Amino acid sequence: MKYNFDEIIDRSNNYAVKYDETKEKFGRDDLIPLWIADMDFKAADPIINALQERAMQGIYGYTSRPIEYFEAIKKWQLEKNNWEVDTSLMSHALGVLPMLANLMHTFLEKGDKVIIQPPVFHEFKNVIEAWGGEVVTNQLIENNGRYYIDFDDLRNKAKQGAKFMIVCNPHNPVGRVWSKEELEAIANICIENNITIISDEIYSDIMLWGNKHTPMASISEEIRKHTITCTSSTKTFNLAGLQVATVIFPNLNMKNQYDAILKKIETYRNNAFSIVANTIAFTEGKEWFLEATTYIEENIKYAVDYINSNIPQIKVSIPDSTYLLWLDCRNLNLAGDDLVDFFVNKARLALNDGRLFGDGGDGYMRINIACPRKILEKALYQLENAVDSYNFEKYQLISGC
């Protein structure tokens, strides 16, 4: 490989949320932080070089968006997903979550219903409720560690008058890549019930094991007319701190309404560095991206093999996508705050509590494995020792030894 993903980067002066906010969130600062979803890898050389060149210009004033910016996204989507996107329907956002907030603010009226599919990214629920919407849940069905859509339930919920459905494609945290047939079935139900689809495709580039991503809006012209696509370079190229994302609308009317809000709150423009990084990422970052994906696959294999061999009390399935593992910890006989306490104070790990992701999340933890192998090895070793120690303590208590 050209890039050294084994390199451990000191992020103590990096203003990294993953590290700097660990004590505030988990109560101690001696934990291995594998929670918030960014990578502990340096960005691609072309991105770093372009940002350094831009920084050396020494002027960081108001920044215009060149035509090459959206054209780079269009080219990437065409080459990677065989999806022809109209750049005139693209708008900027500071991130997919700010994008969702603006979509809710722009189009949602108080009391409007929005369907989500838990266990799912917790901010979906938060942002819907923050703007006065009502969350309707179409809970995923778990079968031997793999998740499926409950289409009978979705049909019933869709008839209740929802305005939007947010589809997590690929799904965070369970790692499912929805097939074209599954997505088409979702879309047909939504169209039949006059529901606009918001397709969160932020992880769509991180396809593992040869899986293929199907953009919801690429399936047919009819589905495109009912779909808002949310995408970003931030997960793909580890650029979340540059606050950059793209929303692709089905028509100019919706785009214009969305843009009007951006202009009112003065977030219509990119900053001087996100313009450069986003464009270079999609035009010159492919080599880094492919190598990073391979490294992530190897980390996943290592983690799954280690857990299966050494911590059988925890169940884990190989995801189709993302760099996240969804750990089924229910056999530890701990749940809720007790499970979190175990990971924090026994294993000394900072992971995401499965309850954050809604129904079906209790007893689960989400771990981010996009880190150098040595960090992952240490984390899993600590978890193994904690589980062994916990079981031994439990045995002592029961036996009276």
Side-chain angles (χ1 to χ4, degrees), residues 185-387:
I186 292 171
N188 288 338
I189 291 171
C190 289
I191 291 170
E192 288 169 8
N193 292 278
N194 197 30
I195 298 170
T196 298
I197 303 158
I198 298 175
S199 187
D200 174 6
E201 304 187 9
I202 193 171
Y203 284 101
S204 62
D205 291 324
I206 308 176
M207 292 289 108
L208 308 174
W209 334 111
N211 285 302
K212 300 296 183 183
H213 171 65
T214 302
M216 176 69 83
S218 74
I219 296 173
S220 71
E221 177 61 14
E222 182 65 16
I223 293 173
R224 186 200 68 77
K225 291 178 180 178
H226 292 82
T227 301
I228 300 169
T229 302
C230 307
T231 186
S232 175
S233 59
T234 55
K235 301 301 182 190
T236 310
F237 296 100
N238 202 30
L239 303 176
L242 290 176
Q243 297 183 304
V244 57
T246 302
V247 54
I248 305 170
F249 287 98
N251 56 67
L252 282 174
N253 180 50
M254 296 188 80
K255 170 183 159 58
N256 290 339
Q257 291 181 69
Y258 173 93
D259 287 348
I261 301 298
L262 291 187
K263 292 175 181 177
K264 285 182 180 179
I265 60 176
E266 293 295 339
T267 59
Y268 180 69
R269 303 181 190 278
N270 292 71
N271 68 58
F273 294 98
S274 67
I275 285 279
V276 173
N278 196 70
T279 305
I280 294 296
F282 284 126
T283 55
E284 300 181 32
K286 186 176 181 180
E287 182 179 20
W288 181 94
F289 159 71
L290 292 174
E291 290 189 8
T293 302
T294 297
Y295 193 87
I296 288 165
E297 289 178 335
E298 291 170 352
N299 267 5
I300 290 173
K301 289 177 184 176
Y302 174 83
V304 172
D305 287 346
Y306 191 98
I307 292 170
N308 288 340
S309 299
N310 300 290
I311 323 174
Q313 300 91 333
I314 295 176
K315 297 179 181 179
V316 60
S317 297
I318 294 177
D320 301 330
S321 173
T322 80
Y323 46 76
L324 309 167
L325 292 180
W326 187 234
L327 305 181
D328 181 350
C329 306
R330 290 175 293 177
N331 285 341
L332 295 178
N333 296 317
L334 294 170
D337 293 342
D338 290 336
L339 182 61
V340 175
D341 180 77
F342 168 79
F343 271 86
V344 171
N345 295 311
K346 298 281 189 180
R348 303 288 176 88
L349 300 177
L351 309 186
N352 290 110
D353 179 358
R355 291 176 297 173
L356 285 174
F357 302 92
D359 294 341
D362 195 8
Y364 289 80
M365 300 292 285
R366 191 191 78 169
I367 183 172
N368 172 3
I369 58 80
C371 60
R373 182 71 50 76
K374 290 294 183 183
I375 294 176
L376 181 60
E377 289 173 356
K378 187 173 188 297
L380 294 175
Y381 179 73
Q382 288 179 196
L383 180 56
E384 178 189 3
N385 284 344
V387 170

Side-chain angles (χ1 to χ4, degrees), residues 4 10 51 64 72 84 89 93 100-101 112 127 177 183 206 228 247 249 257 268 288 292 322 342 345 377 391:
N4 179 18
D10 180 7
L51 289 175
S64 66
E84 183 83 37
L89 296 176
L100 289 172
D112 282 345
V127 77
V177 170
L183 293 171
I206 308 176
I228 300 169
V247 54
F249 287 98
Q257 291 181 69
Y268 180 69
W288 181 94
T322 80
F342 168 79
N345 295 311
E377 289 173 356
N391 288 335

